[in-house]
Amino acid sequence: MIDKNTNLLVVSAHAADFVWRAGGTIAKYAKHGANVTLVILSYGARGESNDLWKTEGQTLENVKAIRKSEIEEATKCLGISNYEIWDFQDYHMELNEERMERLVRKIREVKPHHILSHGPTNAFNPDHESVYKYVFDASVLSTSSGVVLEGTTVAKQARLFGFEPHQSEISNFKPEVIIDITETFEQKQAAMNCFKAQPHLIEYYALKASLRGNHARRCSGNNEYKYAEAFSRSFPYVGGEFV
Amino acid sequence: MIDKNTNLLVVSAHAADFVWRAGGTIAKYAKHGANVTLVILSYGARGESNDLWKTEGQTLENVKAIRKSEIEEATKCLGISNYEIWDFQDYHMELNEERMERLVRKIREVKPHHILSHGPTNAFNPDHESVYKYVFDASVLSTSSGVVLEGTTVAKQARLFGFEPHQSEISNFKPEVIIDITETFEQKQAAMNCFKAQPHLIEYYALKASLRGNHARRCSGNNEYKYAEAFSRSFPYVGGEFV
Amino acid sequence: MIDKNTNLLVVSAHAADFVWRAGGTIAKYAKHGANVTLVILSYGARGESNDLWKTEGQTLENVKAIRKSEIEEATKCLGISNYEIWDFQDYHMELNEERMERLVRKIREVKPHHILSHGPTNAFNPDHESVYKYVFDASVLSTSSGVVLEGTTVAKQARLFGFEPHQSEISNFKPEVIIDITETFEQKQAAMNCFKAQPHLIEYYALKASLRGNHARRCSGNNEYKYAEAFSRSFPYVGGEFV
Amino acid sequence: MIDKNTNLLVVSAHAADFVWRAGGTIAKYAKHGANVTLVILSYGARGESNDLWKTEGQTLENVKAIRKSEIEEATKCLGISNYEIWDFQDYHMELNEERMERLVRKIREVKPHHILSHGPTNAFNPDHESVYKYVFDASVLSTSSGVVLEGTTVAKQARLFGFEPHQSEISNFKPEVIIDITETFEQKQAAMNCFKAQPHLIEYYALKASLRGNHARRCSGNNEYKYAEAFSRSFPYVGGEFV
Amino acid sequence: MIDKNTNLLVVSAHAADFVWRAGGTIAKYAKHGANVTLVILSYGARGESNDLWKTEGQTLENVKAIRKSEIEEATKCLGISNYEIWDFQDYHMELNEERMERLVRKIREVKPHHILSHGPTNAFNPDHESVYKYVFDASVLSTSSGVVLEGTTVAKQARLFGFEPHQSEISNFKPEVIIDITETFEQKQAAMNCFKAQPHLIEYYALKASLRGNHARRCSGNNEYKYAEAFSRSFPYVGGEFV
Amino acid sequence: MIDKNTNLLVVSAHAADFVWRAGGTIAKYAKHGANVTLVILSYGARGESNDLWKTEGQTLENVKAIRKSEIEEATKCLGISNYEIWDFQDYHMELNEERMERLVRKIREVKPHHILSHGPTNAFNPDHESVYKYVFDASVLSTSSGVVLEGTTVAKQARLFGFEPHQSEISNFKPEVIIDITETFEQKQAAMNCFKAQPHLIEYYALKASLRGNHARRCSGNNEYKYAEAFSRSFPYVGGEFV
């Protein structure tokens, strides 16, 4: 059903966020020929590479190099050929005016129908909350003619979808959109396996996919859904009929 | 886009609720050939016919008769051929076990993909809140094999959508689903005009349709939306792609 | 400032609720000549007379008799001459259709500008929540011409204000309206003292009046407020200027 | 750590609720010698026995008989010797004054320190919401001397904990209390296996226990937690130190 | 009813915000002789002048010049003689310590009873949220003796009222205060017409005024209210009687 | 019951916050031999020393000197020997990357089981909200191996508890944890008396301790609780049994 002309922009705060939370959905868009663009803001070297730092004499450069090759592998698993790593510092990630302009430019270049990124609240992860605001504001600025950036033309307001945070309830997450990923779950599994240093997350997000599959079946009465991913949305659904 | 095989069940607490809040959407489903079934629970004779009672010597029977003919006219305007009036007392509407069974039967008969009725909260209108719970529970009971009702077979869980209440914010309403009704707005206007005794509502819901049209354009970037209706939903969207 | 033509209807679930939560405000309305009508739904004999039941051989009749004389005393302290005790059973209080009609009649008789009663949520006190819904619905039904009750004429929609519950935060109470009771605090104190069997509440609600006085000063910058009572409200303020 | 003198009362709306949502915790209390009392309000014959009704010619009596033997087996797995089945009708469960009195009596008999039952909201399951209110109100009435029931003495206010509902986020569930069930997870697994007709739930609640184990580790930094169950609570924690 | 001695300070993020959201109310205060001071923080040249940028070769200076003359016209329509444009950059508006001091000085100079500005949440408009926090904090700092600013004396805590955002429900807006603007609606209409480049907003906010008029009538029972504006408030109402 | 090996870190935005909101609890931990570390971020010279500024010719240095000696006295009353004053500017308090690192270092040094500081929302006090985020983020960063700070080793995730704000309800505060301070209330009283310039707060927080004592009794049925302090918590309780 996914239209080949769909432009999907994914903005991931750290190296692996896009895999844990949306790997199946991204793979599905890629598989069906949509234009997927992935921006990874940081290697997550400071905040999300705990196991790598257990190695004696570990350095920031080395952690980044490892994360870089893991990202490369994982994007292959998911069928993403178009990605960029912006190498911001994480934990804390500072998102200033220059970085805002960079993302506005990217949105105007990609002209995404959907932007997939972090949601507004995320217990235990302050970077994710900053990135939510960064992406939200950039999406609004990208539509405004008065925000003049040479070489760009304004975009239409994209739909914004938010990743499920690690601990959903205490992050006030509501699953507003549940996407069936049965056909790409194996790709997600493979992509998760690229991040060898985080075995507990590999298991955790496989469980989550099963759980959301259960919810998908229960809410829809459609028993073909085995695995799913859940997302929040920033704006109401607007369209021609009930979905 | 609306599929002819779609079964839409509308449950309206009072005579005109389905017109003010969803007339354009219902007309659209009817126009595109979907199977629309409308259940009107009461004539709204006690709670929503204020102007009729200003007539000297007014009686309950007469109010009901007037409401009945208005309903008949309005359904014609919207293209609804299949409707029933259950004639419950309103203000308060008591919804007992027998009435629950009646609605479960109706759901199992219609096998609706979507049920459109009142939402969970409605300042100033206690019947609407009761009807929400009534419809919600009936939709769940209709899916349960153990709720044995002779002559019926269980239904799949329907999607539940909630009407916009009159004062949206103080009723905690969020517009989660906005349906473009540009192509049927005139039919809605005509249907509203059938309820002559409530001119202030006719004007009010025309304004609302304009406002929601504005929101539809702003949220989607699609400038062809002129008029729209907003709804809440009881369960997450589940499907194969972002919408 | 209180207008003599103001009609204030107070509906108290149990014997002493109106004193603990609103005694100062009621006394103020009475003192300034407003028309105060108090309806006490029950003696609170089952749920709010714990200390009286410690007496060996205590009976329901005797508890009611004691509560009755306490009410009489307390209303005198507050300057309330017009009150009724409807003697419903408490803990649980059942509020059926007949009782609804009785309250609708009372509202149509009093034509209150303000109705003061319990708020929507009240941890530890299920009767208070039932009474909130009872009063709310009665206030709406009282305005509807179709709710025909011989000998009555419809009322305008009254403003509804809700008592502060005992444990405010876990009852989701927000102090939306804070009334200065400095001039009648002594009367409230006296009225509270009538309920001798509940010394812990006498102390507690004196503390509360001080606390709310502090909030009143902090929110307004007016240092003359010493004691205050806080209320929720069911509808927005509507008027000609900011207050 | 669990004190042998702890009285735990569990109130389960349907046959298996106490197993899916709290089996590990209950087993732990039983294992450490606490006094566990289990009240099962219904067999869940109408609402939670879907697979059993697929058998040609199935009857209500037969479904109840099967459920009864499953309950017997499951309680053995969890080490619960003290349980009662009250055999109310489910889907809908009506909870009248007489049934209220019955539960108040039970609470006064057990004098529970903790009552474990359903939480306030539960999408897709109206019985669970009714039972929450039923248990909450009964716990309050049980402490009131004026609620005179021959042969009983008043109880202290019990702590109330709420089961995790099936779809936590859309039921507004927050995991306020997470109990480590690593030592009794196998017993829970065994008890779940007794309900053979619901294999999807057996898998689902094993996944949930893993997920909550992950949360338990992340929130506490204690890596010995493998499996856990999550609960809501109705009142604040009160005690002598931070926990 | 509006007292001539009332000091009203309005803080508008962009050129026209004060007109769309509060033009009728401001005009009313001006008409009744109150002291109205208007601070416009930016021309809204980048974020709220989309149509002007459609002109070939448009420049920032020119957009500002157009906005300036529109502001001048609009203030005349509303009867505001006392206004300042601070010419901050918009989209994003940065509000640093120096700008904070400037607003604190202004508040101490004006000594407002009421400050009217943006509310806490505003979907699609990040500047409005920043301005809310800016004004809130400035209002608090202005009351603190330790915030020493030469040539100023501390102010009393002002009441803070928030504009209705464009899409109220998804911005979590609640209409807590509804002001009747029937007598100044024509002035508002005239002021809106000054912003010729935004015809869709002119129509939209006229509809809104009608809608809020409907709510004002419904909540108060006063049928003389034709047009109204809605606001949020940051603190409870504090006073001597119910309003 | 308090374990001598407990490490408690208290972070107070201004000079006296730790006394008003948590003095009894801190004194209790100190009395029972726990390791209490107190960090006071500012003297509160600008925002919370209003009365001192009424003295003619007052200076910032002098206000700080007075606050310093009050702090010294108060810590003695509470039995706190280990405290630091970081002397940040207050009203507004800017919390940059360097200050973040300082707090991360402190947390890694103290290795607190519990961190006690401000909660997420605080009407009228913007510094408190900033400090909440500062402490929360520092607690997360302190656990991450990739946040390399020479001379430190990572900490386990501490439990985070939030002070009760001055106006609890409008700050969305929920009392999730209520600590009995009956045995140290006199010490708290003494410590409060050290801040002579704020007599209204001394009275206010004594009242609060009584009120929370009432709630503690009501929620627990334990009548030995006379005085208590209430806190919010940032994460669920995790443990081996219900508490």
Side-chain angles (χ1 to χ4, degrees):
Chain A
M1 291 196 317
I2 293 171
D3 189 321
K4 276 178 206 291
N5 297 315
T6 306
N7 300 329
L8 174 67
L9 175 64
V10 184
V11 182
S12 181
H14 307 100
D17 290 330
F18 70 99
V19 178
W20 312 124
R21 285 112 201 254
T25 299
I26 300 171
K28 202 169 168 188
Y29 272 84
K31 184 179 169 191
H32 289 269
N35 309 305
V36 176
T37 306
L38 168 64
V39 172
I40 297 167
L41 299 176
S42 81
Y43 287 105
R46 286 165 51 90
E48 308 206 339
S49 306
N50 260 351
D51 290 343
L52 299 178
W53 287 99
K54 287 177 183 156
T55 306
E56 186 77 23
Q58 190 55 284
T59 64
L60 186 62
E61 285 64 38
N62 196 44
V63 168
K64 284 186 180 180
I66 294 169
R67 292 311 245 170
K68 190 176 184 180
S69 77
E70 290 173 347
I71 290 168
E72 197 177 341
E73 258 189 280
T75 51
K76 272 185 200 145
C77 296
L78 300 177
I80 307 170
S81 52
N82 188 7
Y83 74 93
E84 303 174 18
I85 306 170
W86 289 5
D87 193 14
F88 296 170
Q89 185 194 292
D90 68 317
Y91 271 55
H92 281 154
M93 191 175 287
E94 295 298 318
L95 295 159
N96 56 23
E97 214 50 25
E98 184 200 321
R99 289 177 172 184
M100 179 61 74
E101 189 180 309
R102 185 170 178 186
L103 186 54
V104 172
R105 282 189 173 278
K106 178 57 65 182
I107 293 171
R108 288 186 174 177
E109 176 195 322
V110 171
K111 302 269 190 292
H113 298 89
H114 314 304
I115 301 179
L116 187 51
S117 189
H118 300 271
T121 314
N122 207 317
F124 291 116
N125 200 312
D127 286 358
H128 290 179
E129 300 190 5
S130 307
V131 169
Y132 167 74
K133 179 124 186 69
Y134 174 56
V135 172
F136 189 104
D137 288 1
S139 86
V140 172
L141 268 64
S142 73
T143 69
S144 188
S145 313
V147 177
V148 181
L149 294 176
E150 212 178 338
T152 70
T153 56
V154 297
K156 272 195 186 182
Q157 178 61 52
R159 288 166 176 163
L160 290 178
F161 297 93
F163 297 145
E164 172 166 351
H166 190 78
Q167 295 199 33
S168 61
E169 299 97 346
I170 63 172
S171 303
N172 295 323
F173 175 79
K174 298 284 173 200
E176 293 172 286
V177 171
I178 299 182
I179 302 291
D180 167 36
I181 60 163
T182 308
E183 63 173 299
T184 52
F185 178 68
E186 280 181 35
Q187 284 177 265
K188 177 173 186 167
Q189 190 67 268
M192 293 199 294
N193 288 334
C194 301
F195 297 92
K196 299 169 205 75
Q198 293 165 293
H200 58 295
L201 288 179
I202 297 173
E203 186 205 359
Y204 182 85
Y205 283 100
L207 295 180
K208 269 273 172 172
S210 275
L211 247 90
R212 293 304 183 193
N214 176 295
H215 297 169
R217 290 192 298 280
R218 183 69 187 85
C219 288
S220 68
N222 182 335
N223 285 317
E224 290 179 10
Y225 297 148
K226 301 292 177 235
Y227 300 101
E229 287 169 344
F231 303 93
S232 59
R233 66 186 308 154
S234 293
F235 311 125
Y237 162 79
V238 181
E241 58 174 335
F242 292 122
V243 291
Chain B
M1 289 198 317
I2 292 171
D3 189 321
K4 277 177 204 291
N5 297 314
T6 306
N7 300 328
L8 174 67
L9 174 63
V10 184
V11 183
S12 181
H14 308 100
D17 290 328
F18 70 100
V19 178
W20 311 124
R21 287 113 201 253
T25 299
I26 300 171
K28 203 170 168 187
Y29 272 85
K31 184 181 170 190
H32 289 270
N35 310 305
V36 176
T37 306
L38 168 63
V39 172
I40 298 167
L41 299 176
S42 80
Y43 287 105
R46 286 165 50 92
E48 309 207 338
S49 306
N50 261 350
D51 289 343
L52 300 177
W53 287 98
K54 288 176 183 157
T55 306
E56 187 77 23
Q58 190 56 282
T59 65
L60 187 61
E61 286 62 40
N62 197 44
V63 169
K64 284 187 182 182
I66 295 168
R67 291 311 245 171
K68 189 175 184 183
S69 77
E70 289 173 347
I71 291 168
E72 196 177 344
E73 258 189 278
T75 52
K76 272 184 200 148
C77 295
L78 300 177
I80 306 170
S81 52
N82 187 7
Y83 73 93
E84 305 175 15
I85 305 170
W86 290 6
D87 194 14
F88 296 170
Q89 183 194 293
D90 69 318
Y91 271 54
H92 281 154
M93 192 175 287
E94 295 298 318
L95 296 158
N96 57 23
E97 214 48 27
E98 183 199 323
R99 288 175 173 188
M100 179 61 71
E101 189 180 310
R102 184 169 178 188
L103 185 54
V104 173
R105 281 187 173 279
K106 179 55 65 181
I107 292 172
R108 288 186 173 176
E109 175 195 324
V110 171
K111 302 266 189 296
H113 297 89
H114 314 304
I115 301 178
L116 187 51
S117 188
H118 300 272
T121 314
N122 207 317
F124 290 115
N125 201 310
D127 286 357
H128 291 180
E129 300 191 5
S130 307
V131 170
Y132 167 74
K133 179 126 185 67
Y134 174 56
V135 173
F136 189 103
D137 288 2
S139 86
V140 172
L141 267 64
S142 74
T143 70
S144 189
S145 314
V147 178
V148 181
L149 295 176
E150 212 177 338
T152 70
T153 57
V154 297
K156 272 195 185 182
Q157 178 62 51
R159 289 165 175 163
L160 292 177
F161 297 93
F163 296 146
E164 172 166 352
H166 190 78
Q167 296 199 33
S168 61
E169 300 98 344
I170 62 170
S171 302
N172 295 322
F173 175 77
K174 299 284 172 200
E176 295 173 285
V177 171
I178 300 181
I179 302 291
D180 168 38
I181 60 161
T182 308
E183 63 174 298
T184 52
F185 178 68
E186 279 181 36
Q187 285 178 266
K188 177 173 186 167
Q189 190 69 268
M192 293 197 296
N193 288 334
C194 301
F195 297 93
K196 298 169 207 75
Q198 295 165 291
H200 58 295
L201 287 179
I202 296 172
E203 184 205 3
Y204 182 86
Y205 283 100
L207 295 180
K208 268 274 172 173
S210 275
L211 247 91
R212 293 304 182 193
N214 176 295
H215 297 170
R217 291 193 298 280
R218 183 68 186 87
C219 288
S220 68
N222 182 334
N223 285 318
E224 292 178 10
Y225 298 149
K226 300 292 177 235
Y227 299 100
E229 285 169 345
F231 304 93
S232 60
R233 64 186 308 154
S234 294
F235 311 125
Y237 162 79
V238 181
E241 58 173 335
F242 292 122
V243 291
Chain C
M1 291 196 319
I2 292 170
D3 189 320
K4 276 178 205 291
N5 297 314
T6 306
N7 300 328
L8 174 68
L9 174 64
V10 184
V11 182
S12 181
H14 308 99
D17 290 330
F18 70 99
V19 178
W20 311 123
R21 287 110 202 253
T25 300
I26 299 170
K28 204 170 167 187
Y29 272 84
K31 184 180 169 189
H32 289 269
N35 310 304
V36 176
T37 306
L38 168 64
V39 172
I40 297 167
L41 299 176
S42 81
Y43 288 105
R46 286 165 51 91
E48 309 206 338
S49 306
N50 261 349
D51 289 344
L52 299 179
W53 287 98
K54 288 176 184 156
T55 307
E56 188 77 23
Q58 190 56 285
T59 65
L60 187 61
E61 286 62 38
N62 196 44
V63 169
K64 285 187 181 182
I66 295 169
R67 291 311 244 171
K68 190 175 185 182
S69 77
E70 289 172 348
I71 291 167
E72 197 177 342
E73 258 189 279
T75 51
K76 271 184 201 146
C77 296
L78 300 178
I80 307 169
S81 52
N82 187 7
Y83 72 93
E84 304 174 17
I85 306 171
W86 288 6
D87 193 14
F88 296 170
Q89 184 193 292
D90 68 320
Y91 271 53
H92 279 153
M93 193 176 286
E94 295 299 317
L95 295 158
N96 57 23
E97 214 50 25
E98 184 199 321
R99 290 176 172 187
M100 178 62 72
E101 189 178 311
R102 185 169 177 187
L103 186 54
V104 172
R105 282 189 173 278
K106 179 55 64 181
I107 292 171
R108 289 186 173 176
E109 175 195 324
V110 172
K111 301 267 191 292
H113 298 90
H114 314 304
I115 301 178
L116 186 52
S117 188
H118 299 271
T121 314
N122 207 316
F124 292 115
N125 201 312
D127 286 357
H128 290 180
E129 301 191 4
S130 307
V131 170
Y132 167 74
K133 180 127 185 64
Y134 173 58
V135 173
F136 189 103
D137 288 2
S139 85
V140 173
L141 267 65
S142 72
T143 70
S144 189
S145 315
V147 178
V148 181
L149 294 176
E150 212 177 339
T152 71
T153 58
V154 297
K156 273 197 187 183
Q157 178 62 50
R159 289 166 175 164
L160 291 177
F161 297 92
F163 297 145
E164 171 165 352
H166 190 79
Q167 296 199 34
S168 61
E169 299 98 347
I170 63 171
S171 302
N172 295 322
F173 175 78
K174 299 283 174 202
E176 295 174 284
V177 171
I178 300 181
I179 302 291
D180 168 37
I181 60 161
T182 308
E183 63 174 297
T184 52
F185 177 67
E186 278 180 37
Q187 284 177 266
K188 176 174 187 168
Q189 190 68 267
M192 293 198 295
N193 287 334
C194 302
F195 297 92
K196 298 168 207 76
Q198 294 166 293
H200 57 296
L201 287 179
I202 297 172
E203 185 205 0
Y204 182 85
Y205 283 100
L207 295 180
K208 269 273 172 173
S210 275
L211 248 91
R212 293 304 183 195
N214 175 296
H215 298 169
R217 291 192 298 279
R218 182 68 187 87
C219 288
S220 68
N222 182 334
N223 286 317
E224 290 178 13
Y225 298 148
K226 301 293 177 233
Y227 299 100
E229 287 169 343
F231 304 93
S232 60
R233 66 187 305 153
S234 294
F235 311 126
Y237 162 80
V238 181
E241 59 174 334
F242 292 121
V243 290
Chain D
M1 290 198 318
I2 293 170
D3 190 320
K4 277 176 204 291
N5 297 314
T6 307
N7 300 329
L8 174 68
L9 174 64
V10 183
V11 182
S12 181
H14 308 100
D17 289 330
F18 69 99
V19 178
W20 311 123
R21 287 109 201 255
T25 299
I26 300 171
K28 204 171 167 186
Y29 272 84
K31 185 180 167 190
H32 288 270
N35 310 305
V36 176
T37 305
L38 168 64
V39 171
I40 297 168
L41 299 176
S42 81
Y43 287 105
R46 285 165 51 91
E48 308 208 337
S49 307
N50 262 350
D51 289 344
L52 299 178
W53 287 98
K54 288 176 182 157
T55 306
E56 187 77 23
Q58 190 56 284
T59 65
L60 186 61
E61 286 63 37
N62 196 43
V63 168
K64 285 187 182 181
I66 294 169
R67 291 310 245 172
K68 189 175 184 181
S69 77
E70 289 172 348
I71 290 167
E72 195 177 344
E73 258 189 280
T75 51
K76 272 183 201 148
C77 294
L78 300 178
I80 306 169
S81 52
N82 188 7
Y83 73 93
E84 304 174 17
I85 306 170
W86 288 6
D87 193 15
F88 295 170
Q89 184 194 293
D90 68 318
Y91 270 55
H92 280 156
M93 192 175 288
E94 295 298 318
L95 295 158
N96 56 24
E97 213 52 23
E98 183 199 321
R99 289 177 173 186
M100 178 61 73
E101 188 179 310
R102 185 169 177 188
L103 186 55
V104 172
R105 282 188 172 279
K106 179 55 66 180
I107 293 172
R108 289 187 173 177
E109 174 195 324
V110 171
K111 303 269 189 290
H113 298 90
H114 313 304
I115 300 179
L116 186 52
S117 189
H118 299 271
T121 315
N122 206 317
F124 291 117
N125 201 312
D127 286 356
H128 290 180
E129 300 191 4
S130 308
V131 170
Y132 167 73
K133 180 127 184 65
Y134 174 55
V135 173
F136 189 103
D137 288 2
S139 86
V140 172
L141 267 63
S142 74
T143 70
S144 189
S145 313
V147 178
V148 180
L149 295 176
E150 210 178 339
T152 70
T153 58
V154 298
K156 272 194 186 184
Q157 178 62 50
R159 290 165 174 164
L160 291 176
F161 297 92
F163 297 145
E164 172 165 351
H166 190 78
Q167 295 198 35
S168 60
E169 299 99 345
I170 62 171
S171 302
N172 295 323
F173 175 78
K174 298 284 174 201
E176 295 173 284
V177 170
I178 300 182
I179 301 291
D180 168 38
I181 60 162
T182 308
E183 63 173 299
T184 52
F185 178 67
E186 279 181 35
Q187 284 177 266
K188 177 174 187 167
Q189 190 68 268
M192 293 198 295
N193 287 334
C194 301
F195 296 92
K196 299 168 206 77
Q198 294 166 293
H200 58 294
L201 287 179
I202 297 172
E203 185 204 0
Y204 182 85
Y205 283 100
L207 295 180
K208 269 274 173 173
S210 275
L211 247 92
R212 293 303 182 194
N214 176 295
H215 297 169
R217 290 192 298 280
R218 183 69 186 86
C219 288
S220 68
N222 182 335
N223 285 317
E224 290 178 10
Y225 298 148
K226 301 293 176 233
Y227 300 100
E229 286 169 344
F231 303 93
S232 60
R233 66 185 309 153
S234 293
F235 311 124
Y237 163 78
V238 180
E241 58 173 336
F242 293 122
V243 291
Chain E
M1 291 199 318
I2 293 172
D3 189 320
K4 275 178 207 289
N5 297 313
T6 306
N7 301 328
L8 174 68
L9 174 63
V10 184
V11 182
S12 181
H14 308 100
D17 290 330
F18 70 100
V19 179
W20 311 123
R21 287 111 202 253
T25 299
I26 300 171
K28 203 170 168 187
Y29 272 84
K31 184 180 170 192
H32 289 269
N35 309 305
V36 176
T37 307
L38 168 65
V39 171
I40 297 167
L41 299 177
S42 82
Y43 287 105
R46 286 165 51 90
E48 309 208 336
S49 305
N50 261 349
D51 288 344
L52 299 178
W53 287 99
K54 288 178 181 154
T55 306
E56 187 77 24
Q58 189 55 285
T59 64
L60 187 60
E61 285 63 38
N62 196 44
V63 169
K64 285 187 181 181
I66 295 169
R67 291 312 243 171
K68 190 175 184 179
S69 77
E70 290 172 350
I71 290 168
E72 198 178 340
E73 259 189 278
T75 51
K76 272 185 201 147
C77 295
L78 300 178
I80 306 169
S81 53
N82 187 6
Y83 73 93
E84 304 174 18
I85 306 171
W86 289 5
D87 193 15
F88 296 169
Q89 184 194 292
D90 68 318
Y91 272 54
H92 281 155
M93 191 174 289
E94 295 298 318
L95 295 159
N96 57 24
E97 214 50 25
E98 184 199 322
R99 290 177 171 185
M100 178 61 72
E101 189 178 311
R102 185 169 177 186
L103 185 55
V104 173
R105 281 188 173 280
K106 179 55 64 183
I107 293 171
R108 288 187 174 176
E109 176 195 324
V110 171
K111 301 270 190 292
H113 298 89
H114 314 304
I115 302 179
L116 186 52
S117 188
H118 300 272
T121 313
N122 207 317
F124 290 115
N125 202 311
D127 286 357
H128 291 179
E129 300 191 5
S130 307
V131 170
Y132 167 74
K133 180 128 185 66
Y134 173 57
V135 172
F136 189 104
D137 288 2
S139 86
V140 173
L141 266 64
S142 73
T143 70
S144 188
S145 314
V147 178
V148 181
L149 295 175
E150 212 177 338
T152 70
T153 57
V154 297
K156 271 196 187 183
Q157 179 61 52
R159 288 165 175 164
L160 291 177
F161 298 93
F163 297 146
E164 172 166 351
H166 190 80
Q167 295 198 35
S168 61
E169 300 98 344
I170 63 171
S171 302
N172 296 321
F173 175 78
K174 299 285 171 198
E176 295 173 284
V177 171
I178 300 182
I179 302 291
D180 168 36
I181 60 162
T182 307
E183 63 173 298
T184 53
F185 177 68
E186 279 181 37
Q187 284 178 266
K188 176 174 187 167
Q189 190 68 268
M192 293 199 293
N193 287 334
C194 302
F195 297 92
K196 299 168 206 76
Q198 295 166 293
H200 58 295
L201 287 179
I202 296 173
E203 185 204 3
Y204 182 85
Y205 283 100
L207 295 180
K208 269 272 172 175
S210 275
L211 247 90
R212 294 304 182 192
N214 176 295
H215 298 169
R217 290 193 297 280
R218 182 69 187 85
C219 288
S220 68
N222 182 334
N223 285 318
E224 290 179 11
Y225 299 148
K226 300 292 177 235
Y227 299 99
E229 287 169 343
F231 303 93
S232 60
R233 66 185 308 153
S234 294
F235 311 126
Y237 162 79
V238 181
E241 59 173 335
F242 293 121
V243 291
Chain F
M1 288 198 320
I2 293 172
D3 189 321
K4 277 178 205 290
N5 297 314
T6 306
N7 300 328
L8 174 68
L9 174 63
V10 184
V11 183
S12 181
H14 308 99
D17 290 330
F18 70 99
V19 178
W20 310 124
R21 287 113 201 254
T25 299
I26 300 171
K28 203 171 168 187
Y29 272 84
K31 184 180 169 189
H32 288 270
N35 309 304
V36 176
T37 306
L38 168 64
V39 172
I40 297 167
L41 298 176
S42 81
Y43 287 104
R46 285 165 52 91
E48 309 207 337
S49 306
N50 261 351
D51 289 344
L52 299 178
W53 288 98
K54 288 176 183 157
T55 306
E56 185 78 24
Q58 190 55 284
T59 65
L60 187 61
E61 286 63 39
N62 196 43
V63 169
K64 284 187 182 180
I66 294 169
R67 291 311 244 172
K68 189 175 182 181
S69 76
E70 289 172 348
I71 290 167
E72 198 178 342
E73 257 189 281
T75 52
K76 273 185 201 145
C77 295
L78 300 177
I80 306 170
S81 53
N82 187 7
Y83 73 94
E84 304 174 17
I85 305 170
W86 289 6
D87 194 14
F88 296 170
Q89 185 194 291
D90 69 318
Y91 270 55
H92 281 155
M93 192 175 288
E94 295 298 317
L95 295 159
N96 57 24
E97 214 50 25
E98 183 199 321
R99 289 176 173 187
M100 179 61 73
E101 189 179 310
R102 185 170 177 186
L103 185 55
V104 173
R105 281 188 175 280
K106 179 55 65 183
I107 292 172
R108 288 186 174 176
E109 176 195 323
V110 170
K111 303 267 189 294
H113 298 90
H114 314 304
I115 301 179
L116 186 52
S117 188
H118 300 272
T121 314
N122 207 316
F124 290 116
N125 201 311
D127 286 357
H128 290 180
E129 300 191 4
S130 307
V131 169
Y132 167 73
K133 179 126 185 68
Y134 174 56
V135 172
F136 189 104
D137 287 3
S139 86
V140 172
L141 267 64
S142 73
T143 70
S144 188
S145 313
V147 178
V148 181
L149 294 176
E150 214 178 336
T152 70
T153 57
V154 297
K156 272 195 186 182
Q157 177 62 51
R159 288 166 176 162
L160 292 176
F161 297 93
F163 297 145
E164 172 166 351
H166 190 78
Q167 295 199 34
S168 61
E169 300 97 346
I170 63 171
S171 303
N172 295 322
F173 175 78
K174 298 285 173 202
E176 295 173 284
V177 171
I178 300 182
I179 302 290
D180 167 37
I181 60 162
T182 308
E183 62 174 300
T184 53
F185 178 67
E186 279 181 36
Q187 285 177 265
K188 177 173 187 169
Q189 191 67 270
M192 293 198 295
N193 288 333
C194 301
F195 297 92
K196 298 169 206 74
Q198 295 166 292
H200 57 296
L201 287 179
I202 296 172
E203 185 204 0
Y204 182 85
Y205 282 100
L207 296 180
K208 269 273 173 174
S210 275
L211 247 90
R212 293 305 182 191
N214 176 295
H215 298 169
R217 289 193 298 279
R218 183 69 186 86
C219 288
S220 69
N222 182 335
N223 285 318
E224 291 179 12
Y225 298 149
K226 301 292 177 234
Y227 300 101
E229 286 169 344
F231 304 93
S232 60
R233 65 186 308 155
S234 293
F235 311 125
Y237 163 78
V238 181
E241 58 173 335
F242 293 121
V243 291

